[in-house]
Amino acid sequence: MDWKRELVIAHFVKNEIERVDLKCLWENTLPEVPASEADVREVEHKLGHALDGQFRNFLLYANGWRAFKNGVDLFSTSDLLGGVRAERARDILRYTESLKDICGYEESEVMPVAVSSDDIDIMLMSRPGAADPGKVMWIAGGLIQESVGFDEWFLAMVDYLRLDYEFLAERHGLRKYDS
């Protein structure tokens, strides 16, 4: 995936949302600066396994993204090891009814890669050794969406951002960008 291109497109869409978000529902943020190869290797060492290649590649272009999709924060290397976002993900998982029934995985077979700061949405990725490693599941009380990998998930979230834009533009009678 051409992350430079996809990050620019995602931010363009977020800028357009900001233009039509007259009630300031969502914060317009930029992705974080890239993680270093050394940072990623250190996280892999501490986790005891390699990161999925697609997610790893993303981190080398953007080390997380706060408020990427509305209140959903994409994890950084430090989030993978702990901190506020990791704790929020643990809290959501603690109150989630049988994860195995929802998505087919035990909690030990997945790791959070994104979490909502203001809702119950959590994005889980299947770990190496699990069935379909690298699969991303969006869970919010139940399974919302499955993606075969991080790249597909990211592109789907940008598509959802486009839908948010179109909804707001139409609601306020504003001109849409040329698609």
Side-chain angles (χ1 to χ4, degrees), residues 139-152:
I139 297 172
L143 182 63
I144 305 300
Q145 179 180 340
E146 290 179 302
S147 301
V148 296
F150 185 82
D151 293 359
E152 179 182 276

Side-chain angles (χ1 to χ4, degrees), residues 100-137:
K100 182 81 168 173
D101 291 341
I102 291 172
C103 67
Y105 292 93
E106 299 289 341
E107 193 171 333
S108 62
E109 297 176 298
V110 296
M111 59 185 260
V113 293
V115 67
S116 176
S117 61
D118 59 4
D119 211 337
I120 62 169
D121 301 73
I122 185 169
M123 313 315 167
L124 301 172
M125 177 180 283
S126 53
R127 293 178 186 263
D132 298 321
K135 183 177 182 180
V136 179
M137 288 121 333

Side-chain angles (χ1 to χ4, degrees), residues 47-82:
L47 291 176
H49 62 79
L51 293 174
D52 169 76
Q54 292 181 5
F55 184 52
R56 187 182 205 284
N57 198 29
F58 167 79
L59 292 169
L60 294 171
Y61 282 90
N63 192 11
W65 193 338
R66 189 180 58 75
F68 163 62
K69 163 71 173 93
N70 308 344
V72 173
D73 299 330
L74 274 169
F75 274 31
S76 66
T77 51
S78 62
D79 294 324
L80 293 170
L81 299 176

